[in-house]
Amino acid sequence: MAEPLLELRNLRKAYGALTVTDDVSLSVRPGELHAVIGPNGAGKTTLIHQISGMLSSDSGQILFDGENVTHLSMPQRVRRGLARSFQITSILPGFSALENVALAVQARHGSSFRLFGNAAQERALNEPAMQHLNTVGLGGRASIPAGLLSHGEKRQLELAIALATEPKLLLLDEPLAGTGHDESLRVVETLRRLKGRITIVLIEHDMDAVFSLADRVSVLVYGRVIATDTPENVRMNEDVRTAYLGEEETV
Amino acid sequence: MTELTGTQTAPAPSPGMRIDIIPVILFAAFAAAPLLASASGAEGYVLSLLTRVMIFGLAALSLDLILGYGALVSFGHAAFLGIGAYAVGILASHGVEDALIQIPVALAASALFALVTGAISLRTKGVYFIMITLAFAQMLFFLATSLAPYGGDDGMTLPTRSLVAGAGFLENDYAFYAATLLCLTGGYLLSRAIVTSRFGRVLRGTKENAVRMEAIGFQPFRFQLAAYVISGMMAGLAGCLMANQAEFISPAFMTWQRSGELIFMVVLGGLGSLHGAIIGAAAFLLLEEFLPELLHAGSFFLNDDVRWRLTENWQMVFGPILILIVLFARGGIMGILRRGSHG
Ligand SMILES: Nc1ncnc2c1ncn2[C@@H]1O[C@H](COP(=O)(O)OP(=O)(O)OP(=O)(O)O)[C@@H](O)[C@H]1O
Ligand SMILES: [Mg+2]
């Protein structure tokens, strides 16, 4: 069996007395789409923060692509191929959609200490950026200031920005949250196309999307992983049903 | 891809770039002013006032580079004016009077000070950054007051203005005006290039959303520090000019009030447009210069005693005027011009 691309070992995080990540061990295989589900407040976002380096962990280890990245900063992890999106949309509202993505291309390629030359005109940055916008279906909105995009379009833009960092692993924190029906379908379609090319950790409340996309699903409840298995088996799992899915008999 | 090539080569609309006519008019006015000055009959006064405006314009411009484009509120920018001025003064008092040596030394000293203090200050955010830059500037201020061989508290008169490659032409006020205009133009073009460059884009991005920038792999600190150093060097150059204009150096060049005035000039002109900072400096200094007379002329309907008191205490009017401009003209003077050009 292949080495896992991402491996979490006994990860912990507490806010004061509240343990939010409780001894989480998890491995993500190269190429898989690994969904993490769990009720509100289960600690999913916190876990993404820890993996991406935005939050430090109290104890435990994070191994990425064979390297211990537990103590690296977020930018350092990004440059090793670990990109993320945010549950609460995080973009540069005053920059055009294209420039938002071009900046990520710039971060990945070449020097950013260039003091001369109009960056907004550089084909070497704009062309790849345009491709990523097309990938998520935002090609036609390239010159719109990102702050003026619809909520769903902002979610798509965030995905394009993450793709532009050329990640090996993409951490997506509820990419469908708040999107309309059509936009939601488009994002799911985009993820389906990316699946296999890029390893993805997907946090999502939309169970239809999760069960149609995921290769494996981990269930997080009160900061603990109570199950990791194929979608079918997770659906059957008694613990999961009582702890989480019980409320949603439709699943 | 093909249908999109059109959009992707179109420059992204960025506010402040749209009205390029304003900086052209501004610099043309500076270039033409000496002609008018000689016609006015008070050329010495006009030239010296406008030279002062340009020097402060350069200092405000340098501050706008980090404040307007990087959201770094440096409350110690006058320290760099002091470094530039003292580099000129100290070297001159040891017989090194050539600008070709003085200016590189001043720039190097400014860069070093910016590098060291920036590396520490930039580890903090918000009000802490403001306080720590202020603290460093105060340190330098008190150091200057204690430099007895260079005049201490009282400051020190320079033997002459700087030479340029041995030639003393800066003694001529027109030549000095031209040299100042050259420095301001150079500083402006450099800053303009920087803010549109890759580097400048990272700086602007960090101002908008630092977390987003980190999430795509940038370490904002390095870019902010580099910008701080560039800005400090430009302000250091303004300090060299200031010492030369006054033919005098003094700790008063780097008081915290002076740092505050620089922030005010930038905000007054409008943050983040570069030429706005120069216009803000001009508005501030010209208002300061002419407000007493304007008050005197404008209060003709009052009795002489009240009129005299008003003119005498013009600062009491100056403060509120500045506050009103900042409150009601959001975006400063550039904001007004921008709205004017749209409506
Ligand atoms: N900075 C913080 N300080 C204290 N408690 C926090 C902090 N951030 C999150 N928490 C708490 O940690 C728990 C987990 O939060 P987290 O945002 O990780 O949950 P989540 O699984 O992403 O929830 P959701 O599905 O609503 O997004 C919650 O109880 C939350 O209130
Ligand atoms: Mg969450």
Side-chain angles (χ1 to χ4, degrees):
Chain A
M1 178 151 178
E3 279 275 292
L5 181 61
L6 176 73
E7 194 177 350
L8 310 181
R9 289 184 185 159
N10 311 102
L11 221 50
R12 281 178 188 279
K13 179 81 193 176
Y15 290 114
L18 179 69
T19 302
V20 179
T21 304
D22 191 0
D23 199 27
V24 168
S25 296
L26 193 73
S27 56
V28 177
R29 298 170 190 152
E32 79 171 332
L33 194 152
H34 195 122
V36 177
I37 62 173
N40 288 333
K44 304 180 295 294
T45 297
T46 305
L47 189 63
I48 294 281
H49 283 338
Q50 286 173 272
I51 301 172
S52 66
M54 211 169 121
L55 270 182
S56 60
S57 302
D58 296 344
S59 65
Q61 282 190 330
I62 303 168
L63 300 160
F64 178 65
D65 207 10
E67 183 186 3
N68 185 346
V69 299
T70 317
H71 301 289
L72 296 184
S73 70
M74 179 152 70
Q76 286 172 320
R77 295 185 203 191
V78 174
R79 268 177 273 129
R80 281 163 175 75
L82 212 148
R84 68 165 294 178
S85 73
F86 293 82
Q87 179 170 1
I88 297 162
T89 308
S90 175
I91 50 167
L92 305 173
F95 286 56
S96 71
L98 182 69
E99 260 198 307
N100 266 274
V101 186
L103 252 173
V105 177
Q106 180 183 324
R108 191 71 183 163
H109 292 283
S111 170
S112 283
F113 273 94
R114 245 184 245 169
L115 299 180
F116 297 98
N118 188 342
Q121 308 279 16
E122 279 191 58
R123 295 183 74 91
L125 301 178
N126 288 345
E127 275 172 15
M130 204 62 219
Q131 275 170 15
H132 294 299
L133 279 180
N134 285 333
T135 305
V136 301
L138 271 187
R141 308 281 279 161
S143 59
I144 311 282
L148 299 183
L149 296 173
S150 76
H151 178 75
E153 286 173 329
K154 285 179 187 158
R155 309 296 301 174
Q156 290 166 271
L157 177 60
E158 253 204 87
L159 190 53
I161 295 171
L163 289 175
T165 66
E166 296 176 15
K168 295 187 184 118
L169 177 68
L170 204 50
L171 304 165
L172 301 177
D173 196 352
E174 298 194 25
L176 302 181
T179 59
H181 181 68
D182 292 350
E183 290 163 338
S184 161
L185 285 182
R186 206 172 316 154
V187 174
V188 170
E189 215 27 67
T190 307
L191 294 181
R192 203 182 305 283
R193 265 183 287 130
L194 292 174
K195 198 181 144 171
R197 278 201 283 146
I198 302 174
T199 311
I200 297 174
V201 171
L202 173 70
I203 291 180
E204 193 43 70
H205 280 300
D206 181 332
M207 290 304 144
D208 290 342
V210 166
F211 284 101
S212 78
L213 285 168
D215 298 306
R216 289 198 300 160
V217 178
S218 289
V219 184
L220 198 66
V221 178
Y222 294 122
R224 286 183 157 272
V225 177
I226 61 165
T228 295
D229 215 325
T230 60
E232 298 74 37
N233 291 346
V234 162
R235 224 191 286 241
M236 302 303 193
N237 187 307
E238 278 307 316
D239 291 343
V240 175
R241 294 190 79 90
T242 48
Y244 179 47
L245 296 178
E247 322 149 21
E248 295 181 43
E249 284 307 334
T250 48
V251 178
Chain B
M1 274 311 283
T2 37
E3 46 134 2
L4 300 157
T5 28
T7 45
Q8 83 184 31
T9 45
S14 80
M17 292 272 294
R18 221 170 299 142
I19 27 169
D20 285 323
I21 188 73
I22 289 173
V24 173
I25 294 173
L26 180 66
F27 281 95
F30 279 129
L35 304 173
L36 301 176
S38 54
S40 73
E43 57 180 71
Y45 168 72
V46 174
L47 274 185
S48 126
L49 178 62
L50 289 180
T51 305
R52 191 174 153 78
V53 164
M54 291 194 294
I55 294 171
F56 274 94
L58 180 58
L61 170 70
S62 77
L63 182 59
D64 193 25
L65 192 60
I66 54 169
L67 178 56
Y69 291 88
L72 300 174
V73 187
S74 162
F75 198 177
H77 230 52
F80 297 104
L81 293 176
I83 293 173
Y86 272 80
V88 168
I90 292 173
L91 285 171
S93 74
H94 292 286
V96 182
E97 299 192 323
D98 206 300
L100 297 185
I101 297 171
Q102 289 172 344
I103 289 178
V105 169
L107 295 184
S110 304
L112 186 68
F113 183 75
L115 194 65
V116 173
T117 62
I120 298 166
S121 321
L122 286 168
R123 308 225 169 255
T124 65
K125 297 258 173 311
V127 74
Y128 298 99
F129 180 80
I130 299 176
M131 296 316 287
I132 204 164
T133 50
L134 173 64
F136 278 122
Q138 287 300 93
M139 252 171 55
L140 213 60
F141 171 80
F142 288 115
L143 176 68
T145 59
S146 68
L147 287 179
Y150 307 108
D153 265 338
D154 301 328
M156 172 177 80
T157 306
L158 304 186
T160 60
R161 281 191 181 156
S162 300
L163 307 175
V164 180
F169 59 80
L170 290 183
E171 288 295 336
N172 178 302
D173 282 342
Y174 282 99
F176 186 65
Y177 182 94
T180 306
L181 179 55
L182 197 69
C183 290
L184 180 63
T185 312
Y188 179 76
L189 293 176
L190 177 70
S191 306
R192 178 59 64 215
I194 287 174
V195 299
T196 48
S197 71
R198 285 184 173 203
F199 174 84
R201 189 152 75 164
V202 177
L203 198 62
R204 286 184 285 126
T206 304
K207 176 193 163 200
E208 283 210 8
N209 186 345
V211 171
R212 172 33 79 197
M213 295 302 279
E214 287 181 62
I216 58 177
F218 287 113
Q219 283 166 306
F221 173 79
R222 302 167 58 197
F223 296 90
Q224 291 174 327
L225 183 58
Y228 192 67
V229 169
I230 295 169
S231 168
M233 290 170 75
M234 231 189 292
L237 179 62
C240 295
L241 293 168
M242 206 171 272
N244 268 292
Q245 184 183 30
E247 297 182 54
F248 176 72
I249 59 169
S250 140
F253 286 20
M254 45 180 138
T255 57
W256 64 267
Q257 290 94 330
R258 181 53 54 83
S259 296
E261 283 172 9
L262 288 176
I263 295 179
F264 217 105
M265 289 171 183
V266 178
V267 174
L268 184 63
L271 282 168
S273 72
L274 297 178
H275 43 270
I278 304 174
I279 293 172
F284 186 96
L285 293 173
L286 296 178
L287 205 56
E288 189 180 53
E289 187 73 19
F290 295 117
L291 194 59
E293 274 127 88
L294 288 176
L295 283 177
H296 189 77
S299 59
F300 58 87
F301 51 86
L302 298 172
N303 75 37
D304 275 355
D305 185 42
V306 176
R307 204 173 170 191
W308 182 83
R309 278 166 195 275
L310 192 63
T311 311
E312 194 70 353
N313 298 305
W314 61 272
Q315 278 109 332
M316 279 177 41
V317 182
F318 189 47
I321 288 182
L322 295 180
I323 290 168
L324 286 177
I325 295 179
V326 170
L327 278 184
F328 290 103
R330 297 220 45 213
I333 296 169
M334 282 308 294
I336 298 174
L337 294 175
R338 216 170 272 148
R339 260 168 269 150
S341 75
H342 285 183

